[in-house]
Amino acid sequence: MPEGPSIVILREQAAVFTGQTIERAQGSAKLDKTRLVGQSVRSFRSWGKHFLIELEDVSLRVHLLLFGSYRINQRKESPPRLSLGFAEGELNFYGCSVQTIEGPLDAAYDWSVDVMADGWTPRAALKRLRAHPQMLACDALLDQTLFAGSGNIIKNEVLFRIRVHPLSPIGALPPRKLRELVADVRRYSFEFLQYKREGTLKAHWLAHGRDICPRCNIPFSKAKALGRSKRRAFFCQRCQKRYGDGDDAHAEKPVQV
């Protein structure tokens, strides 16, 4: 599933169509595509894992889900979910969810939840996080109401960097570690963006997809479905401390928006 930094890159690449008029709208997405034709693009925005196309009287929300993709001025052999044609190019989306949003986007989204947004603040993020003491650290970093845009790569990398075991409950983390977690989600998201632009993201992974802990030189523990989010995890049992009693029977389930 593309994470927030990848959606920022999509937003930047699609910006060439800002101000242009949609001349063609096709695809298998179940929405009134005739309504889109003739509308001009006011802006392209992103919120977490949502790519947003703001038109004159409606907006489109594109979520690439687990295996979605897009092509700009290119096409795949498979039929698109949505294809928007302009006078000078086209924007094609595949294997994704496409929905319409009525009314202003500012009324639909709290931009401060997006870990890459200008309006994001650590104080507000800490307040949201502290309201979920039973949630496991591995789940909190995937909860889009807490950290919109954070995904499995960010989860594994951040928890390794701050030396926190993924099964630690949020309420068991010392205040210093909680602040460290919040700060590092923001910090690593922008590092992710830089590496992605350079095409070197995988080369910079310390934990995600790795076999050996670079600090302890011992094999990583690997889980195919960790926590209530049931996502892949890579962590070190030696240098990532497990806070709390480790009882996740009543752990809170993360929210995907």
Side-chain angles (χ1 to χ4, degrees), residues 153-191:
I153 296 172
I154 293 174
K155 175 201 77 179
N156 287 322
E157 290 296 298
V158 166
L159 291 177
F160 178 74
R161 281 162 166 76
I162 67 172
R163 298 175 180 249
V164 169
H165 193 287
L167 293 179
S168 302
I170 290 300
L173 296 182
R176 177 179 60 83
K177 277 297 173 187
L178 209 56
R179 292 193 297 269
E180 207 175 330
L181 184 150
V182 166
D184 218 60
V185 173
R186 172 82 163 182
R187 183 184 305 112
Y188 181 69
S189 293
F190 280 94
E191 290 180 11

Side-chain angles (χ1 to χ4, degrees), residues 170-222:
I170 290 300
L173 296 182
R176 177 179 60 83
K177 277 297 173 187
L178 209 56
R179 292 193 297 269
E180 207 175 330
L181 184 150
V182 166
D184 218 60
V185 173
R186 172 82 163 182
R187 183 184 305 112
Y188 181 69
S189 293
F190 280 94
E191 290 180 11
F192 185 127
L193 178 62
Q194 177 186 338
Y195 300 148
K196 189 78 173 179
R197 285 170 173 160
E198 297 170 349
T200 62
L201 179 62
K202 290 184 179 180
H204 287 90
W205 286 347
L206 298 179
H208 188 79
R210 300 305 190 197
D211 295 318
I212 303 296
C213 173
R215 281 194 292 254
C216 304
N217 199 32
I218 62 174
F220 270 124
S221 292
K222 301 178 183 180

Side-chain angles (χ1 to χ4, degrees), residues 111 114 116-121 186 190:
W111 304 103
D114 183 343
M116 305 195 72
D118 292 339
W120 185 93
T121 65
R186 172 82 163 182
F190 280 94

Side-chain angles (χ1 to χ4, degrees), residues 56-122:
E56 292 172 287
D57 69 357
V58 71
S59 294
L60 299 176
R61 172 170 57 214
V62 179
H63 193 306
L64 294 177
L65 306 175
L66 282 176
F67 304 110
S69 62
Y70 66 92
R71 296 289 187 275
I72 297 177
N73 299 330
Q74 294 179 341
R75 296 187 184 187
K76 296 174 66 174
E77 291 184 3
S78 57
R81 287 287 288 166
L82 180 66
S83 177
L84 299 177
F86 303 90
E88 300 178 7
E90 62 182 17
L91 188 54
N92 300 305
F93 298 95
Y94 302 86
C96 61
S97 166
V98 183
Q99 296 177 316
T100 57
I101 300 176
E102 305 290 344
L105 288 176
D106 288 342
Y109 286 96
D110 178 357
W111 304 103
S112 69
V113 180
D114 183 343
V115 297
M116 305 195 72
D118 292 339
W120 185 93
T121 65

